Amino acid sequence: MTETPALDPEDRKIVTLARSARARNGVPEGAAVRDETGRTYVAGTVGLDSLKLSALQTAVAMAVASGATSLEAAAVVTDAETASAEDLAAVRDLGGPGTPVLVAGGDGVVRATVSAG
């Protein structure tokens, strides 16, 4: 992974976790979110016949299912240029409109940081 020098170590961690989930599971996207207590939730794309979720939607759902009440940050590793409107909505629902979403390429380099709002 190419380091992004200005990236906070905790943000670098969720980008690394997201990248690992994508590679390990061979899925189009990997994502990680950090909740208000610092716990992280990592997920990949879900592509079942009966259920389709992006990696970021899945990570947010895992956080909610584990009792998280807010998010500090989110990261997605994807080939897309930015996070989708649906992904931003999921992050916003739990973390609020100011929650940063780091969008990184497969090499782990953050291409953009957008707010969920």
Side-chain angles (χ1 to χ4, degrees):
M1 175 169 140
T2 304
E3 291 295 321
T4 306
L7 208 56
D8 173 270
E10 290 300 312
D11 289 345
R12 188 175 307 120
K13 174 183 171 183
I14 61 173
V15 171
T16 299
L17 290 170
R19 185 172 181 231
S20 296
R22 181 182 189 223
R24 179 178 56 250
N25 297 321
V27 292
E29 295 181 337
V33 298
R34 184 175 62 248
D35 73 9
E36 74 282 0
T37 68
R39 288 180 297 180
T40 56
Y41 306 88
V42 181
T45 308
V46 174
L48 300 174
D49 289 340
S50 62
L51 180 64
K52 306 236 184 277
L53 294 172
S54 72
L56 200 46
Q57 290 169 330
T58 305
V60 169
M62 292 173 64
V64 170
S66 297
T69 58
S70 185
L71 294 179
E72 290 182 350
V76 61
V77 173
T78 180
D79 292 333
E81 289 301 313
T82 191
S84 71
E86 296 83 7
D87 283 351
L88 295 177
V91 172
R92 184 174 56 249
D93 284 349
L94 185 57
T99 307
V101 179
L102 298 102
V103 181
D107 58 1
V109 174
V110 175
R111 295 189 303 250
T113 301
V114 297
S115 73

